[in-house]
Amino acid sequence: MKIITILLLCCFCFSVFSQHNSVNDKLVIAHRGASGYLPEHSMAAKAMAYAMGADYIEQDVVMSKDDQLLILHDHYLDRVTNVAEVYPNKKRSDGRYYAIDFTLAEIQSLLMTEGFVVKNGKQEAIYPNRFPLWKSKFTVHTLADEIELIQGLNKSTGKQVGIYPEIKSPAFHLQQGKDISLAVLNELKRFGYDNLDDKIFVQSFDPTELKRIKQHLMPKLNMELKLVQLIAMTSWQETLVYHNGTSTPYNYDWMLETNAMEKIATYANGIGPWKPMLINTKMNQQKPKSNGLLEAAHQAGLVVHPYTFRADINRIPKYAQDFDELLHIYYYDIGVDGIFTDFPDKAVQFLQKNKDKRH
Ligand code: G3P
Ligand code: CA
């Protein structure tokens, strides 16, 4: 916890009260924490995002062998930990190390770092200009650990920062015998999140699971939370459908039709599209315009929170001169309600500068 203390002291010096985005109704969602600066989903990245003034902090949630809820983007451990070195014999036949095959104690014995890939036997950081690989000491934590951090900071600062948990690969977990959605909802209820006014959005890429949450699980648990349908490209194979022992990719194409928004509004309160899904991409490098999906979503009563806004070199689309222009296009020209960003400080500062603007 020492690194969190240091970070908090540093960040409080420049931002905690003056930079908070409370003057603007557009949201800043810290994607995996302040992941542009510290390893994604580390406690330090969450504390830094909090101090930078994010409105919501995101948690991706997967399950361990002993049914613990872990904060990890993938249901694999090998992209962000030293699992391959510590447990070389625990990989599956596809060469991956699955979080669900490890206990919490085993996972917490691992070191966590920035995301990397292995090329020619050598580890390469996915974002070379971010926090260096394997420096300092980070470990995987649980959903409860993170909620306690955010609720604790809400108490000590008097702010009300929200949480934005994503239930990762629910069909995979169910196929492995684990009802991750039920476990997440029970945990959220235990921490006091149980009604629509609470500062929480629950997100998933899996529409079948979101409908089950809306229609069965939340009524059974006497709770009602805001749900967000994440939208993927079908080619990413983000959601698998299991049938008779085989899996096929879920087809998302229908969600990109404007008439899909009314269907989504029957079970969700918002959409989380990949940001190019909202714009007219045929215009090449010209400033893009809305393709109508956002207006259809708003018409259906859905909020729109696209992902992911990154300020790294080569991550700003050519149609924007810089990160601020990219933010302007989405927040004000297109008119989104919030964004997922790895750089919450930049989005908070942008909204502060533009607080009198309306869309
Ligand atoms: O959940 C919003 C955004 O995080 C979706 O992408 O893959 O980073 O979870 P991913
Ligand atoms: Ca996510």
Side-chain angles (χ1 to χ4, degrees):
M1 295 295 273
K2 199 171 160 199
I3 191 159
I4 292 173
T5 314
I6 295 164
L7 276 165
L8 280 174
L9 284 172
C10 295
C11 293
F12 270 121
C13 291
F14 80 89
S15 71
V16 73
F17 294 113
S18 60
Q19 296 287 320
H20 187 235
N21 181 37
S22 58
V23 293
N24 203 307
D25 58 3
K26 292 187 181 287
L27 299 180
V28 176
I29 305 152
H31 180 250
R32 313 182 197 172
S35 56
Y37 303 100
L38 280 161
E40 66 179 50
H41 287 316
S42 61
M43 282 290 241
K46 304 308 172 83
M48 191 170 189
Y50 192 103
M52 285 174 160
D55 300 290
Y56 285 82
I57 298 175
E58 191 204 24
Q59 301 76 36
D60 290 311
V61 186
V62 307
M63 232 167 167
S64 68
K65 185 176 181 179
D66 50 348
D67 297 338
Q68 300 298 304
L69 295 168
L70 311 166
I71 305 301
L72 272 175
H73 177 265
D74 316 332
H75 56 270
Y76 311 114
L77 291 160
D78 37 83
R79 186 178 58 86
V80 292
T81 76
N82 60 343
V83 65
E85 192 184 306
V86 180
Y87 293 103
N89 300 323
K90 286 192 77 160
K91 63 172 177 254
R92 289 195 184 184
S93 56
D94 61 2
R96 305 300 304 262
Y97 295 81
Y98 286 64
I100 208 164
D101 294 337
F102 293 79
T103 64
L104 176 64
E106 287 170 332
I107 290 169
Q108 291 195 317
S109 74
L110 302 173
L111 293 174
M112 187 169 83
T113 189
E114 273 287 316
F116 62 87
V117 288
V118 178
K119 280 191 191 158
N120 302 322
K122 210 167 156 246
Q123 292 176 355
E124 282 182 21
I126 294 168
Y127 296 97
N129 294 322
R130 290 191 179 183
F131 198 87
L133 291 184
W134 307 114
K135 296 296 181 188
S136 193
K137 190 175 176 201
F138 305 99
T139 52
V140 177
H141 61 267
T142 65
L143 178 60
D145 291 334
E146 184 157 335
I147 295 176
E148 285 182 5
L149 176 80
I150 294 168
Q151 291 191 343
L153 284 167
N154 282 345
K155 178 168 184 285
S156 57
T157 64
K159 297 200 299 181
Q160 278 304 317
V161 171
I163 63 171
Y164 210 127
E166 178 185 345
I167 301 173
K168 280 284 174 192
S169 309
F172 164 79
H173 282 89
L174 278 173
Q175 192 258 350
Q176 299 279 315
K178 298 204 184 290
D179 192 340
I180 187 174
S181 299
L182 181 60
V184 168
L185 291 174
N186 270 317
E187 195 71 328
L188 295 175
K189 188 164 182 184
R190 185 167 80 85
F191 280 99
Y193 299 99
D194 61 6
N195 77 74
L196 286 172
D197 295 331
D198 290 332
K199 287 206 70 174
I200 178 171
F201 290 89
V202 175
Q203 43 164 343
S204 180
F205 277 104
D206 188 329
T208 309
E209 193 69 356
L210 283 173
K211 286 178 203 161
R212 189 171 82 96
I213 290 169
K214 173 77 176 176
Q215 292 157 8
H216 301 291
L217 297 183
M218 291 200 301
K220 188 170 126 189
L221 297 171
N222 193 24
M223 62 197 293
E224 185 166 15
L225 303 176
K226 296 183 287 293
L227 302 179
V228 170
Q229 172 69 66
L230 297 173
I231 308 178
M233 297 299 286
T234 301
S235 59
W236 299 347
Q237 306 201 3
E238 179 66 44
T239 297
L240 294 177
V241 181
Y242 294 87
H243 189 63
N244 290 338
T246 58
S247 63
T248 48
Y250 181 83
N251 190 331
Y252 280 93
D253 295 357
W254 70 271
M255 287 192 199
L256 298 176
E257 307 290 333
T258 50
N259 67 4
M261 297 300 112
E262 284 175 10
K263 292 179 196 155
I264 292 174
T266 62
Y267 63 87
N269 308 81
I271 57 166
W274 184 38
K275 63 181 182 305
M277 291 171 177
L278 293 172
I279 59 174
N280 187 339
T281 47
K282 292 197 185 98
M283 297 175 71
N284 223 348
Q285 290 183 21
Q286 288 172 12
K287 214 167 151 184
K289 292 201 165 34
S290 171
N291 60 13
L293 197 70
L294 174 129
E295 288 76 9
H298 282 174
Q299 187 72 28
L302 297 167
V303 294
V304 180
H305 297 162
Y307 60 89
T308 301
F309 289 73
R310 297 185 166 111
D312 307 89
I313 296 165
N314 296 329
R315 293 287 175 155
I316 298 171
K318 295 224 172 6
Y319 55 74
Q321 282 185 350
D322 54 27
F323 195 60
D324 268 15
E325 188 178 14
L326 180 67
L327 295 177
H328 196 285
I329 289 168
Y330 278 88
Y331 272 129
Y332 292 113
D333 298 344
I334 309 285
V336 303
D337 306 289
I339 62 159
F340 287 90
T341 179
D342 294 359
F343 297 86
D345 56 333
K346 295 185 191 302
V348 169
Q349 285 158 18
F350 171 83
L351 290 174
Q352 287 278 339
K353 275 188 279 177
N354 293 279
K355 63 187 176 209
D356 298 326
K357 280 215 167 91
R358 288 278 171 272
H359 178 98

